[in-house]
Amino acid sequence: MHPLISQDHIDTYQRDGVVLIKGLFADHVETLREGVARNMSEPGPYASTNDKAGETGLFFDDYCNWQRIPEFKDVIHNSAAAEVGAALMQSETAQLFHDHVLVKEPGTSMATPWHQDGPYYFVEGRQTVSFWSPLDPVTDATLRCVAGSHLWDKPVLPTRWAKGDAFFDPAPYMPVPDPDAEDMDVREWQMAPGDAVAFNYGVLHGARGNRADARRRAFSLRLVGDDARYVARPGPTSPPFPGHEMTPGQRLREDWFPVIWGA
């Protein structure tokens, strides 16, 4: 077992779907900051500033850039994330799904809406993990996760962050809850740069706006394990990965989604 985690981390992750890993990217913070700067100056095709009427500041996010941003590729392959992720998932392998950058400049009022990642994705399985790591100290703008929500009977309706409209037909999904109003078990931590929250794709999560005087840069890495399989959704997924040519029940193709830990 990697020295950054213990059996208690694994048990907590399996039970609650979320756990804090101190210092997971601590040795890679400067590299990731350089990668985020490159990403913001050279945004990819999926980049967004999440412009929403009535909101102030800048909320930049972009994903699927590891192949063109060398700093991200370096950290993905040379950090402990894949080994730690495999252990948390209880998987023999860790396969790369995608990277995601989220930057809230000072004075950004827009919150990251409550959502589960899984309903946006074309992958399903019990063995999934997303790492969310701030590159600046965070307090109020930290990630917030609802413990145990990965075990809910129905998935939460995926919506477009800026517009708030439904991504798919709402019928098979439950409405987006209000965890604070409903007194749910919300886990959040003050975090140092390089710490990481690990959470299952089924965990409901969000984040407040950044009203502080400093930036809040975050790097997120999404991995899948042995049981993850491609699944068809009722419309284009996010990320869309056009032209993937996979069929339902198939493991994600390794030339696009490389196995970075294990066999």
Side-chain angles (χ1 to χ4, degrees), residues 128-145:
T128 64
V129 64
S130 182
F131 293 110
W132 185 94
S133 181
L135 307 180
D136 307 284
V138 293
T139 52
D140 287 348
T142 190
L143 192 69
R144 310 181 72 212
C145 297

Side-chain angles (χ1 to χ4, degrees), residues 79-102:
S79 72
E83 180 180 357
V84 169
L88 294 175
M89 293 187 290
Q90 295 188 318
S91 172
E92 295 295 324
T93 63
Q95 188 173 7
L96 174 60
F97 188 36
H98 72 92
D99 58 280
H100 195 171
V101 164
L102 305 105

Side-chain angles (χ1 to χ4, degrees), residues 66-67 73 76-77 82 93-98 221-224 241 251-263:
W66 68 270
Q67 291 169 304
K73 189 173 186 177
I76 288 168
H77 286 284
T93 63
Q95 188 173 7
L96 174 60
F97 188 36
H98 72 92
L221 178 62
R222 283 80 190 266
L223 308 175
V224 297
F241 295 111
R251 284 200 62 159
L252 300 190
R253 51 184 297 177
E254 294 184 16
D255 55 338
W256 285 29
F257 307 96
V259 174
I260 56 175
W261 176 259

Side-chain angles (χ1 to χ4, degrees), residues 1-262:
M1 190 176 300
H2 194 278
L4 283 173
I5 61 170
S6 65
Q7 187 61 46
D8 184 60
H9 287 95
I10 296 171
D11 293 343
T12 300
Y13 187 77
Q14 291 294 316
R15 181 186 68 244
D16 300 337
V18 58
V19 69
L20 177 67
I21 309 296
K22 298 287 290 182
L24 180 64
F25 295 103
D27 295 337
H28 305 276
V29 170
E30 288 303 324
T31 302
L32 288 172
R33 286 173 176 168
E34 292 170 6
V36 169
R38 186 192 300 269
N39 195 166
M40 295 187 75
S41 64
E42 304 170 12
Y46 306 125
S48 173
T49 52
N50 294 287
D51 298 318
K52 187 176 182 180
E55 302 286 2
T56 61
L58 175 66
F59 178 11
F60 171 89
D61 84 288
D62 198 2
Y63 47 65
C64 300
N65 290 297
W66 68 270
Q67 291 169 304
R68 69 181 189 89
I69 296 183
E71 292 87 354
F72 295 166
K73 189 173 186 177
D74 174 26
V75 173
I76 288 168
H77 286 284
N78 294 309
S79 72
E83 180 180 357
V84 169
L88 294 175
M89 293 187 290
Q90 295 188 318
S91 172
E92 295 295 324
T93 63
Q95 188 173 7
L96 174 60
F97 188 36
H98 72 92
D99 58 280
H100 195 171
V101 164
L102 305 105
V103 178
K104 293 184 179 179
E105 299 289 4
T108 297
S109 61
M110 183 177 170
T112 305
W114 290 105
H115 67 285
Q116 295 169 318
D117 287 340
Y120 293 87
Y121 295 164
F122 60 31
V123 63
E124 281 191 349
R126 182 183 64 83
Q127 294 167 315
T128 64
V129 64
S130 182
F131 293 110
W132 185 94
S133 181
L135 307 180
D136 307 284
V138 293
T139 52
D140 287 348
T142 190
L143 192 69
R144 310 181 72 212
C145 297
V146 176
S149 49
H150 64 309
L151 302 176
W152 288 351
D153 292 336
K154 292 182 69 174
V156 172
L157 177 66
T159 62
R160 291 175 174 83
W161 289 3
K163 295 181 180 179
D165 58 323
F167 219 75
F168 304 131
D169 179 355
Y173 302 94
M174 65 181 287
V176 180
D178 184 341
D180 294 314
E182 299 176 41
D183 197 29
M184 294 181 177
D185 184 2
V186 177
R187 306 283 173 86
E188 58 183 312
W189 297 268
Q190 295 187 5
M191 299 171 68
D195 291 347
V197 175
F199 60 98
N200 184 280
Y201 291 178
V203 162
L204 188 73
H205 61 284
R208 302 181 186 90
N210 179 25
R211 300 184 182 276
D213 296 329
R215 314 176 77 188
R216 195 226 64 185
R217 294 165 289 183
F219 175 77
S220 192
L221 178 62
R222 283 80 190 266
L223 308 175
V224 297
D226 300 334
D227 74 347
R229 296 293 186 271
Y230 172 79
V231 63
R233 300 295 185 195
T237 57
S238 176
F241 295 111
H244 59 75
E245 298 181 345
M246 291 183 291
T247 57
Q250 181 181 343
R251 284 200 62 159
L252 300 190
R253 51 184 297 177
E254 294 184 16
D255 55 338
W256 285 29
F257 307 96
V259 174
I260 56 175
W261 176 259

